[in-house]
């Protein structure tokens, strides 16, 4: 890094140049309990000062509220940022609490127009399929996404939580710049199939929840006891009851590595995620989410930490010991369909 700014990397063979760490923006409007808008805005600005240029949102985050919240920041810095948003989680008019996965072409066209309007931009830099509807051929969905590129509404395409086979089929229709999935010291299921396919195709791996939804920072131990009623982590199997107690003990191993680097355990988790690029031979861009400028400073500083082979080996066995799946229903993840 130079003057605190992180370095850059290309988002796959066909994507834009971005900071080697992005920012997950979901929590600024959705899922993680109350947030302060002024502090979130300050976080966005500080991230950009530190070289973070990939900002990740989705139409499903707060039913479009996250896109609307981010719009003024994006407009003020349009030439400096790479906007990533997603479609696929439709909200039925009769039940706003539900999400229905849709990948059909008419819905994709409806979704992109709505996102463009909420973001108040002419083009989306990176447009993801958020989740996969197995009832719609992926070639059909990606074909429509490719049409959006040709029409100038989208610059690059991404997929989230797809299998290796789905990634290959999609890439054959149109180059995919990035595949997004959960990847952390606690969640490594994608390494078996998805990571090798991404490497083979020259697709970047955008790692969401590299801090285990905050658990890998030690900021909470039991979601039901420590987090607010509106926080969706209270419904995640890993973060409650006996699972939470068992998983908290795994943080001690990370803490021992953190002490050797005079770092936080969260920084070690991010350094581990960042270093997977070298280990697996593909570009890896973690997108930790935060709503505080101080956390962005802590997170980006982790890009300067290099773990030794011995430390990597020490951390290697953690994922196999994690209690509970990463979602209550894994059918909507790549691992649930491989």
């Amino acid at each position: 890094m130079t003057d605190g700014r992180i370095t850059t990397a290309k988002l796959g063979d066909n994507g834009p140049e971005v900071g080697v760490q992005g920012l997950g923006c979901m929590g600024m409007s959705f899922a993680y309990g109350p947030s302060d808008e002024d502090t979130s805005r300050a976080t966005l600005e500080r991230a950009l000062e530190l070289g973070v240029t990939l900002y990740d949102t989705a139409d499903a985050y707060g039913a479009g509220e996250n896109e609307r919240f981010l719009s003024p920041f994006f407009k003020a810095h349009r030439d400096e940022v790479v906007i990533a948003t997603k479609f696929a989680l439709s909200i039925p008019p009769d039940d706003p609490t539900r999400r229905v996965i849709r990948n059909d072409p008419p819905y994709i066209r409806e979704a992109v127009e709505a996102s463009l309007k909420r973001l108040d931009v002419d083009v989306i830099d990176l447009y993801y399929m958020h989740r996969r509807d197995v009832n719609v051929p992926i070639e059909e969905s990606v074909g429509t996404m490719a049409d959006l590129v040709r029409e100038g509404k989208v610059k690059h395409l991404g997929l989230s939580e797809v299998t290796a086979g789905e990634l290959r089929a999609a890439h054959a229709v149109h180059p995919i710049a990035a595949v997004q999935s959960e990847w952390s010291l606690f969640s490594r299921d994608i390494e078996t199939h998805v990571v090798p396919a991404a490497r083979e195709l020259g697709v970047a791996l955008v790692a969401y929840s590299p801090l285990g939804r905050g658990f890998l920072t030690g900021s909470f131990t039991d979601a039901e006891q420590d987090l607010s009623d509106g926080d969706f982590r209270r419904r995640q199997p890993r973060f409650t009851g006996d699972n939470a107690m068992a998983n908290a003990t795994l943080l001690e191993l990370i803490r021992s590595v953190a002490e050797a680097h005079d770092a936080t355990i969260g920084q070690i988790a991010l350094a581990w995620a960042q270093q997977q690029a070298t280990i697996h031979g593909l570009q890896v861009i973690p997108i930790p989410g935060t709503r505080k400028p101080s956390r962005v400073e802590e997170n980006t500083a982790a890009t300067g930490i290099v773990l030794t082979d011995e430390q990597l080996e020490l951390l290697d066995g953690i994922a196999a010991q994690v209690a509970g799946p990463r979602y209550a229903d894994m059918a909507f993840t790549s691992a649930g369909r491989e």
Side-chain angles (χ1 to χ4, degrees):
M1 292 187 293
T2 303
D3 298 328
R5 288 179 62 85
I6 61 176
T7 57
T8 63
K10 196 169 174 61
L11 199 63
D13 289 350
N14 301 288
E17 192 84 6
V18 297
V20 293
Q21 186 181 108
L23 181 64
C25 300
M26 178 180 78
M28 294 179 179
S29 309
F30 176 69
Y32 291 151
S35 63
D36 181 86
E37 289 193 355
D38 289 340
T39 304
S40 292
R41 291 190 187 98
T43 301
L44 295 168
E45 296 287 350
R46 185 60 179 140
L48 188 59
E49 290 172 356
L50 292 168
V52 175
T53 56
L54 177 63
Y55 292 82
D56 186 87
T57 182
D59 60 2
Y61 299 162
E65 285 306 311
N66 196 234
E67 290 179 325
R68 291 188 188 94
F69 171 75
L70 294 167
S71 175
F73 171 74
F74 289 156
K75 288 189 70 176
H77 302 285
R78 189 63 189 96
D79 295 335
E80 303 170 79
V81 300
V82 173
I83 301 172
T85 193
K86 314 177 192 74
F87 74 88
L89 300 180
S90 172
I91 303 173
D94 60 339
D95 187 356
T97 65
R98 288 181 60 222
R99 298 292 184 273
V100 176
I101 299 176
R102 290 187 61 181
N103 292 172
D104 55 286
Y107 180 74
I108 295 172
R109 288 196 165 276
E110 176 186 327
V112 75
E113 295 297 341
S115 284
L116 285 166
K117 183 176 181 179
R118 285 189 293 264
L119 292 165
D120 196 14
V121 295
D122 296 325
V123 61
I124 294 166
D125 300 312
L126 177 60
Y127 199 44
Y128 285 102
M129 177 192 293
H130 202 163
R131 289 293 186 270
R132 171 90 172 96
D133 178 0
V134 296
N135 297 309
V136 179
I138 197 162
E139 295 85 354
E140 185 176 327
S141 303
V142 176
T144 301
M145 295 169 71
D147 288 341
L148 301 180
V149 176
R150 287 186 281 271
E151 293 164 16
K153 295 176 181 179
V154 170
K155 289 184 180 179
H156 305 283
L157 303 185
L159 303 170
S160 180
E161 290 289 0
V162 293
T163 66
E166 290 163 350
L167 175 58
R168 288 191 177 94
H171 195 76
V173 175
H174 187 279
I176 302 299
V179 61
Q180 185 173 142
S181 191
E182 186 168 356
W183 199 8
S184 73
L185 282 166
F186 269 25
S187 301
R188 299 181 59 181
D189 50 71
I190 64 168
E191 293 176 26
T192 304
H193 301 290
V194 177
V195 169
R199 180 180 61 240
E200 168 195 326
L201 298 171
V203 176
L205 202 299
V206 174
Y208 75 78
S209 297
L211 292 171
R213 304 191 187 281
F215 196 85
L216 288 168
T217 69
S219 60
F220 72 97
T221 301
D222 187 311
E224 289 181 323
Q225 296 180 23
D226 302 339
L227 303 178
S228 64
D229 289 344
D231 197 307
F232 95 119
R233 289 171 291 184
R234 290 166 61 95
R235 302 188 300 275
Q236 297 294 296
R238 289 181 172 174
F239 307 140
T240 59
D242 291 343
N243 285 349
M245 290 179 60
N247 293 334
T249 65
L250 300 175
L251 301 183
E252 292 308 309
L253 194 58
I254 308 171
R255 191 167 282 112
S256 69
V257 176
E259 289 171 356
H261 286 272
D262 193 24
T264 66
I265 60 173
Q267 286 178 318
I268 296 305
L270 286 174
W272 179 90
Q274 210 86 52
Q275 220 157 317
Q276 299 311 300
T278 301
I279 293 169
H280 290 277
L282 79 167
Q283 193 51 254
V284 178
I285 309 293
I287 51 168
T290 186
R291 301 176 287 195
K292 297 178 180 179
S294 60
R295 286 293 192 187
V296 167
E297 293 165 2
E298 177 183 329
N299 292 347
T300 54
T303 65
I305 298 173
V306 179
L307 304 176
T308 66
D309 290 344
E310 291 76 16
Q311 290 168 341
L312 288 167
E313 186 175 353
L314 190 66
L315 297 170
D316 193 56
I318 289 177
Q321 302 177 61
V322 173
R326 53 191 179 96
Y327 288 101
D329 185 354
M330 289 288 286
F332 304 109
T333 69
S334 60
R337 298 193 305 279
E338 290 283 10

